[in-house]
Amino acid sequence: MQNQRCVGTVSRGIRCPIIREGDNLAQIVADSVLQAAENEHFSLHDRDVVAITESVVARAQGNYATVDDIAADIHAKFGDKTVGVIFPILSRNRFAICLRGIAKGAKKVVLMLSYPSDEVGNELVDLDRVEAAGVNPYSDVLTEAEFRDKFGASVHPFTGVDYIAYYGDLVRSCGTEVEIIFANRPQAILAYTDAVLCCDIHTRRHTKKVLLEHGAQVVYGLDDILTAPYNGSGYHEQFGLLGSNKATEDRIKLFPHPCPDMLADIQTRIHTATGKTVEVMVYGDGAFKDPQGKIWELADPVVSPSHTAGLIGTPNELKLKYLADNDFADLKGDALKLAIQDRIKAKQGNLKGQMASEGTTPRQLTDLIGSLCDLTSGSGDKGTPVVLVQGYFDNYTD
């Protein structure tokens, strides 16, 4: 029997040394991939994807900032105004350190939380309870006392944290007055202050637009804080504090700077060693939602902040089950296989709108591959900050 390929896409976590600031990440990544291929007896191919998690890229870049750096930039932008801090996500890792910096830079904070959940799905209260209480989350503004009276304690099911109390205590621990309200319309904050810091991630542009249309005088987003070095701090020119993570109790790691030279260096090193041209990308959170916890994973502003040119675009694929159930419903066995292979070989460069591509995922390649990598590497103790994806661009004819 003729040998045939029986495996499609393969995703491998690649173990690497612990990365420190100033390390030659291109050399470490290329050497780790090549060593894994040698030790595990697999070969590299053209269009394999080498993906590096954003956290080690930012660490190698030394892209860190302190609570005091954040506070200084907040005070420079808002002065002594009461700052409306609206739509933050409920996260000790993602937002708590940022909130400490915001609180240290302000005299008073009005913290406006969305409900029943934050932007990425962390619940303050179940929607059924909101409806049972006769509350309209699209229009009703609740004070902290009103929220507690109607719904009581609000403990996160996974972390066990009452984020209302936690965030309130955190601001007060910085010597800053805090008032907490609950609303979903951005303009609700304007009853308390006309100076607003928008902390939402993927809806931030719309939020800023609504606030300015309703008379806000000072409007910034997390993406406007630390967009340049402050007293020698780290920064991110496009995303500011978005994509940051807790490093220590007083320090955050920011999203990594664009790094096309490093990605090209990795390509060159692997091509020199193997003769193969791989694609390279940096990835952060995957773009997927947990159906049990109802939490959308993507707390970073984008899945991939840097990638090589071969990863630009969307898939151009036919739906095999559509072809099998419709165009070739009368075929089976080798005849069906050959008919589908011929159709794939003859497919057009752009299948948008064609029924045979209906149901294929219309997402950016970097979002799809980055999500696969995030699930492969995890966020715990696997020790695989690099992921090698092979066969992703193959199809049924290969």
Side-chain angles (χ1 to χ4, degrees):
M1 179 182 294
Q2 183 179 2
N3 289 334
Q4 63 179 9
R5 183 172 168 182
C6 299
V7 175
T9 301
V10 175
S11 176
R12 287 184 172 92
I14 305 296
R15 290 185 175 175
C16 298
I18 302 298
I19 307 300
R20 295 296 188 190
E21 182 176 344
D23 284 349
N24 186 335
L25 192 56
Q27 180 179 342
I28 291 172
V29 170
D31 288 351
S32 296
V33 170
L34 293 169
Q35 187 65 55
E38 180 180 347
N39 289 0
E40 302 297 328
H41 308 293
F42 63 83
S43 299
L44 297 176
H45 307 93
D46 290 329
R47 299 213 78 190
D48 285 353
V49 180
V50 175
I52 310 108
T53 185
E54 58 83 19
S55 63
V56 299
V57 178
R59 189 183 304 151
Q61 292 174 345
N63 201 17
Y64 292 87
T66 67
V67 167
D68 288 339
D69 296 328
I70 298 170
D73 202 7
I74 289 291
H75 192 263
K77 287 181 166 65
F78 290 95
D80 291 332
K81 286 179 172 286
T82 294
V83 181
V85 177
I86 71 171
F87 302 152
I89 63 172
L90 308 176
S91 171
R92 292 168 295 175
N93 175 47
R94 288 288 190 171
F95 187 69
I97 302 298
C98 294
L99 182 57
R100 283 187 61 206
I102 295 163
K104 288 190 72 172
K107 289 188 174 181
K108 179 178 179 180
V109 165
V110 179
L111 183 63
M112 190 171 93
L113 304 177
S114 55
Y115 73 100
S117 64
D118 69 8
E119 181 184 3
V120 297
N122 293 294
E123 280 191 346
L124 283 172
V125 59
D126 184 77
L127 179 59
D128 290 339
R129 292 183 64 200
V130 174
E131 293 179 345
V135 173
N136 183 347
Y138 300 102
S139 60
D140 292 351
V141 179
L142 303 178
T143 65
E144 183 176 2
E146 289 170 335
F147 187 94
R148 294 297 198 188
D149 181 60
K150 292 178 182 295
F151 306 118
S154 176
V155 178
H156 193 284
F158 290 169
T159 65
V161 174
D162 182 329
Y163 277 97
I164 301 169
Y166 177 62
Y167 280 176
D169 290 344
L170 190 153
V171 175
R172 283 185 285 268
S173 72
C174 298
T176 303
E177 184 182 353
V178 62
E179 185 174 357
I180 301 176
I181 62 171
F182 303 83
N184 290 305
R185 293 180 304 131
Q187 59 268 37
I189 194 66
L190 299 180
Y192 299 82
T193 179
D194 62 5
V196 186
L197 179 67
C198 306
C199 299
D200 43 345
I201 306 161
H202 306 290
T203 55
R204 63 189 184 276
R205 293 181 183 88
H206 176 72
T207 300
K208 292 177 186 179
K209 172 177 173 288
V210 170
L211 288 167
L212 292 170
E213 288 175 347
H214 284 80
Q217 297 301 302
V218 181
V219 177
Y220 291 102
L222 287 181
D223 57 327
D224 300 310
I225 308 301
L226 292 186
T227 55
Y230 212 98
N231 295 326
S233 73
Y235 66 99
H236 196 283
E237 50 277 273
Q238 181 180 2
F239 296 124
L241 292 181
L242 291 180
S244 63
N245 282 273
K246 177 180 177 179
T248 70
E249 293 302 322
D250 297 295
R251 199 169 181 235
I252 60 168
K253 177 197 61 59
L254 295 156
F255 216 40
H257 297 296
C259 49
D261 291 345
M262 185 195 74
L263 303 186
D265 191 359
I266 294 170
Q267 274 188 319
T268 299
R269 289 171 183 272
I270 291 178
H271 187 271
T272 299
T274 67
K276 305 300 180 182
T277 300
V278 299
E279 304 294 343
V280 190
M281 65 181 285
V282 178
Y283 70 94
D285 278 348
F288 52 85
K289 184 173 183 175
D290 169 25
Q292 183 67 33
K294 306 174 186 177
I295 298 170
W296 188 34
E297 175 69 9
L298 187 57
D300 287 326
V302 292
V303 173
S304 177
S306 289
H307 45 268
T308 50
L311 296 176
I312 296 172
T314 59
N316 189 53
E317 300 173 347
L318 295 168
K319 196 77 169 178
L320 297 193
K321 66 182 182 182
Y322 178 88
L323 295 176
D325 291 344
N326 291 273
D327 294 24
F328 307 123
D330 57 334
L331 301 179
K332 61 181 180 180
D334 287 342
L336 175 60
K337 177 181 178 180
L338 289 172
I340 288 178
Q341 287 180 334
D342 287 343
R343 180 64 63 85
I344 292 172
K345 291 175 183 178
K347 69 182 177 182
Q348 300 173 6
N350 187 350
L351 299 171
K352 184 177 180 179
Q354 295 190 25
M355 287 299 296
S357 67
E358 184 178 23
T360 57
T361 309
R363 289 167 57 189
Q364 297 295 313
L365 290 168
T366 50
D367 294 343
L368 292 162
I369 298 170
S371 298
L372 171 61
C373 293
D374 189 28
L375 288 166
T376 301
S377 62
S379 58
D381 58 7
K382 289 185 173 61
T384 55
V386 173
V387 175
L388 175 67
V389 179
Q390 298 188 286
Y392 189 85
F393 294 101
D394 296 347
N395 61 43
Y396 193 51
T397 69
D398 296 313

